Amino acid sequence: MLRDITLGQYYQTDSIIHRLDPRVKLVTTVCYIISLFVVDNIVGYILAGLFLALVIKLSKVPVKFMVRGMKSILFLLIIALIFNLFLTPGEVVVSFWKLQITKEGIRQAVFMAVRLVFLLMGSSVMTLTTTPNQLTDGMEKLLGPLRVLKVPVHEIAMMMSIALRFIPILLEETDKIMKAQMARGADFESGNLIKKAKSLVPLLVPLFISAFRRANDLAMAMESRCYRGGEHRTKMKPLIYKMRDRLAYGAVLCYLVLCVVCGKILW
Amino acid sequence: MSIILDHVNHIYEAGTAMEFAALKDINLMIPDGQFIGLIGHTGSGKSTLVQHLNGLLVPTGGNIYYNGADIHDNDYNKKELHSKVGLVFQYPEHQLFEIDVFSDVCFGPKNLGLSKKEVELRAYAALKQVGLEDEYFYQSPFDLSGGQKRRVAIAGVLAMQPEVLILDEPTAGLDPKGRDEILDRIAGLREETGMTVILVSHSMEDVAKYVDRIIVMNKGQVMLDNEPREVFRYYRELEEVGLAAPQVTYIMQELKRNGFDVDTDIITIEEARKAILDALKI
Ligand SMILES: Nc1ncnc2c1ncn2[C@@H]1O[C@H](COP(=O)(O)OP(=O)(O)OP(=O)(O)O)[C@@H](O)[C@H]1O
Ligand SMILES: [Mg+2]
């Protein structure tokens, strides 16, 4: 159940997407998200869908794995759908009681849903194919120029990588504590809202304690390895662009151009 | 009254690249009142196996029967099973959460829907059974030492008065004294109540002294399943899978090889002492 949340989890396999430089993947994801908000017609969305499908195919991550992640945003999706469906003014198609569904509303709702799903899937592909370490390495390198403006780039990247790294650990821990309390007769499912909230105490208290303990241990471990931030630190595996990374940038550029062209032609 | 495992398989993360078969075709029959040692190298599937026994994990293949009923039938009362088959997890002190020791032990019986008085009686009895002194009852469980926390956690399961008690590495991370104390307590408890006890461990030394039967796990399969003496005869095979017989077994083997007339099936220090003295007398 908890394992359904795929965001921030790495899927181990060997594919061309996995081997790409993390900077490429970060830039691509950002470009892709922007493209989703730029395109505004069916052709554009088909293009975005095809691009996503191609990347997923190349990444060798089972589609099942990604669809599972969708469940966690189902609620958000439904809300967005309802709001768009009923609250967009325009040509009325159906109307009952005080509510009316408009042609524009339907269009808006469908686009909104597609956009959200693509958005989440697109970013999932990145986190599923890039280890948190690579991700923050890439981020640090990309944001490097900001150091001139006294932005603590390395520290931010480090915090991100720790946070990302701890998501699966905490999920696992939650699973374990939940099972341990169930073995003591705890019931996390039945009862009304208040009872359910109360039943979370035996889960949350040990979880927080364990999170603090882990944070403490980690701080201690970093300290004893003489960690002292970004200044003068070298990398064991410095990021260097390879041929495939240049090709990938080219492909992304082509995609963006196509998106813009589609938008223009069908405007 | 027994637990039966019939061709039980468990695959973690089935259908992904991380797919891992943690249990492969396990067939076991655990009769009432037995004291069993479940032994295996790290990652051999011990914890996975015991979580099947009280229904927390669902097998990906095969069936598990408790007292003749399939525990994964739709109308089977899982909650009752949790109370009948008490499972103390590895590092159980991580599950403590209440403001004081006594309330934490009350959590289990309270969930059974017993009266307040009954709950408190059971909690008190359980804390006595694990040998925790009264002065700690109203302290925060987080202020106790590791060994004391462990006892509180075990009491938390004992207070549900299970028919079967499973302890997953109850001595992990304890010093030799703490270890012996806990194991002695468990053995005493079992004498007293006659309940089935399953002790998970990766140390033969720990269990040899107490149990009637040893189940050795290796890579998700049952490798040996017999009385301790019989199991330790295979000490060479055990070494190959990263385990070892108790040290006395090696001493006796060595003595025998050097011409002393001793019994090599000896597994406890007491027996060894007697045998060596006997051998020297002649
Ligand atoms: N939740 C899980 N998801 C995926 N794999 C798991 C999970 N839990 C355990 N495993 C894998 O199953 C195998 C058996 O694990 P298990 O915890 O049963 O071993 P164990 O015998 O109890 O080991 P230890 O002595 O270290 O406690 C291990 O290789 C482990 O990596
Ligand atoms: Mg274990």
Side-chain angles (χ1 to χ4, degrees):
Chain A
M1 166 182 57
L2 285 166
R3 286 167 198 286
D4 290 348
I5 305 166
T6 52
L7 206 67
Q9 271 190 344
Y10 180 63
Y11 183 90
Q12 175 97 43
T13 179
D14 186 32
S15 78
I16 175 93
I17 305 286
H18 282 74
R19 269 175 280 146
L20 281 180
D21 189 293
R23 284 171 292 178
V24 179
K25 287 187 260 189
L26 275 165
V27 171
T28 306
T29 310
V30 173
C31 288
Y32 186 69
I33 290 173
I34 293 171
S35 82
L36 285 179
F37 285 94
V38 171
V39 298
D40 198 19
N41 55 52
I42 297 207
V43 183
Y45 281 109
I46 291 175
L47 202 63
L50 284 177
F51 182 74
L52 185 64
L54 180 72
V55 174
I56 292 175
K57 178 95 187 118
L58 285 176
S59 74
K60 293 191 193 156
V61 179
V63 181
K64 198 173 71 186
F65 216 79
M66 254 167 246
V67 177
R68 259 200 278 169
M70 288 302 119
K71 275 193 225 148
S72 50
I73 62 148
L74 202 62
F75 185 65
L76 193 72
L77 204 62
I78 290 170
I79 300 240
L81 264 178
I82 291 174
F83 270 82
N84 276 298
L85 207 54
F86 291 114
L87 299 179
T88 316
E91 191 184 324
V92 178
V93 183
V94 191
S95 112
F96 55 93
W97 190 44
K98 275 183 197 157
L99 299 167
Q100 46 195 17
I101 298 177
T102 62
K103 205 169 163 191
E104 282 76 11
I106 295 173
R107 193 182 132 94
Q108 196 83 352
V110 170
F111 279 2
M112 190 61 166
V114 171
R115 200 177 269 171
L116 263 175
V117 169
F118 281 4
L119 192 92
L120 195 78
M121 276 202 167
S123 34
S124 297
V125 174
M126 178 180 70
T127 50
L128 282 166
T129 60
T130 323
T131 63
N133 271 338
Q134 289 176 323
L135 211 60
T136 41
D137 266 10
M139 189 112 64
E140 195 180 343
K141 200 94 186 226
L142 280 176
L143 297 178
L146 289 182
R147 214 170 285 157
V148 185
L149 303 174
K150 294 259 185 291
V151 178
V153 174
H154 174 79
E155 281 72 14
I156 293 173
M158 194 62 180
M159 276 178 342
M160 283 253 332
S161 88
I162 291 173
L164 280 175
R165 179 70 196 87
F166 270 71
I167 291 173
I169 292 181
L170 286 180
L171 282 179
E172 212 169 282
E173 192 88 12
T174 312
D175 213 39
K176 218 190 289 172
I177 296 170
M178 221 162 149
K179 276 201 260 173
Q181 304 298 25
M182 272 160 73
R184 291 210 279 164
D187 186 352
F188 296 105
E189 267 126 39
S190 59
N192 56 23
L193 209 60
I194 295 171
K195 206 170 154 228
K196 259 189 188 161
K198 257 188 173 166
S199 78
L200 285 181
V201 174
L203 178 63
L204 290 179
V205 173
L207 194 62
F208 273 106
I209 290 173
S210 127
F212 279 117
R213 192 182 52 233
R214 277 176 196 283
N216 216 351
D217 289 352
L218 185 69
M220 210 80 94
M222 284 164 82
E223 189 93 57
S224 56
R225 286 173 178 78
C226 303
Y227 174 81
R228 47 184 283 279
E231 218 57 41
H232 309 300
R233 256 177 103 77
T234 52
K235 292 255 184 284
M236 190 160 94
K237 293 180 193 153
L239 294 176
I240 298 162
Y241 283 125
K242 301 219 176 61
M243 195 57 196
R244 56 167 176 261
D245 301 312
R246 299 202 180 89
L247 287 176
Y249 272 135
V252 173
L253 205 64
C254 289
Y255 164 73
L256 282 180
V257 169
L258 273 175
C259 278
V260 172
V261 169
C262 283
K264 277 274 176 296
I265 291 172
L266 293 152
W267 195 242
Chain B
M1 303 273 266
S2 59
I3 305 175
I4 294 171
L5 282 83
D6 181 28
H7 296 288
V8 169
N9 283 286
H10 193 90
I11 301 170
Y12 279 116
E13 320 264 332
T16 72
M18 284 95 84
E19 186 169 291
F20 185 86
L23 293 180
K24 296 172 207 156
D25 195 35
I26 306 282
N27 295 290
L28 285 173
M29 147 90 187
I30 297 167
D32 257 4
Q34 220 169 30
F35 196 163
I36 297 175
L38 181 62
I39 302 214
H41 192 53
T42 276
S44 57
K46 307 181 294 290
S47 300
T48 307
L49 177 63
V50 293
Q51 285 173 50
H52 278 86
L53 299 182
N54 76 342
L56 279 177
L57 283 180
V58 183
T60 47
N63 293 306
I64 299 163
Y65 302 91
Y66 184 67
N67 292 341
D70 187 334
I71 64 170
H72 292 293
D73 270 348
N74 286 333
D75 52 357
Y76 194 86
N77 187 346
K78 275 273 182 67
K79 221 175 147 183
E80 195 184 314
L81 182 71
H82 294 330
S83 70
K84 290 270 169 60
V85 182
L87 173 58
V88 181
F89 272 77
Q90 220 163 343
Y91 298 103
E93 55 274 25
H94 295 174
Q95 77 201 25
L96 302 176
F97 69 97
E98 277 284 8
I99 43 169
D100 62 48
V101 167
F102 195 74
S103 344
D104 204 282
V105 177
C106 284
F107 181 66
K110 209 159 71 189
N111 285 328
L112 298 181
L114 301 168
S115 71
K116 189 160 183 279
K117 191 171 165 213
E118 175 72 15
V119 167
E120 286 176 356
L121 280 174
R122 281 191 179 196
Y124 185 79
L127 280 166
K128 283 283 137 199
Q129 280 172 327
V130 296
L132 198 80
E133 290 87 17
D134 293 22
E135 63 201 84
Y136 299 112
F137 283 16
Y138 293 100
Q139 281 195 14
S140 160
F142 306 109
D143 291 343
L144 303 179
S145 76
Q148 288 166 334
K149 279 188 202 166
R150 186 79 47 101
R151 286 182 200 201
V152 173
I154 294 174
V157 171
L158 278 178
M160 311 210 329
Q161 299 190 346
E163 292 166 358
V164 179
L165 178 66
I166 306 172
L167 300 124
D168 196 348
E169 310 221 15
T171 59
L174 294 186
D175 57 20
K177 187 160 162 279
R179 183 191 67 198
D180 289 345
E181 269 176 24
I182 288 219
L183 290 178
D184 282 339
R185 283 278 167 193
I186 294 164
L189 202 68
R190 189 213 159 224
E191 288 283 293
E192 220 176 278
T193 59
M195 64 179 157
T196 314
V197 177
I198 301 175
L199 188 65
V200 179
S201 174
H202 50 235
S203 153
M204 290 285 185
E205 218 88 33
D206 272 9
V207 298
K209 203 160 119 198
Y210 304 100
V211 303
D212 324 315
R213 172 180 172 192
I214 290 181
I215 299 170
V216 181
M217 299 275 299
N218 181 36
K219 295 193 181 135
Q221 283 170 315
V222 175
M223 182 177 127
L224 294 166
D225 176 4
N226 216 325
E227 283 172 36
R229 267 163 235 287
E230 298 291 327
V231 168
F232 296 143
R233 282 209 187 119
Y234 295 91
Y235 65 98
R236 286 203 189 82
E237 285 82 352
L238 289 173
E239 275 167 21
E240 271 164 33
V241 299
L243 297 168
Q247 277 171 348
V248 272
T249 308
Y250 291 95
I251 293 173
M252 299 322 270
Q253 296 281 357
E254 203 63 29
L255 285 173
K256 180 98 179 179
R257 211 166 301 136
N258 285 301
F260 288 93
D261 179 28
V262 290
D263 181 4
T264 51
D265 279 353
I266 278 165
I267 53 173
T268 66
I269 294 174
E270 288 307 307
E271 290 172 339
R273 201 179 83 125
K274 195 164 162 295
I276 293 172
L277 285 176
D278 283 349
L280 287 176
K281 237 177 259 164
I282 304 160

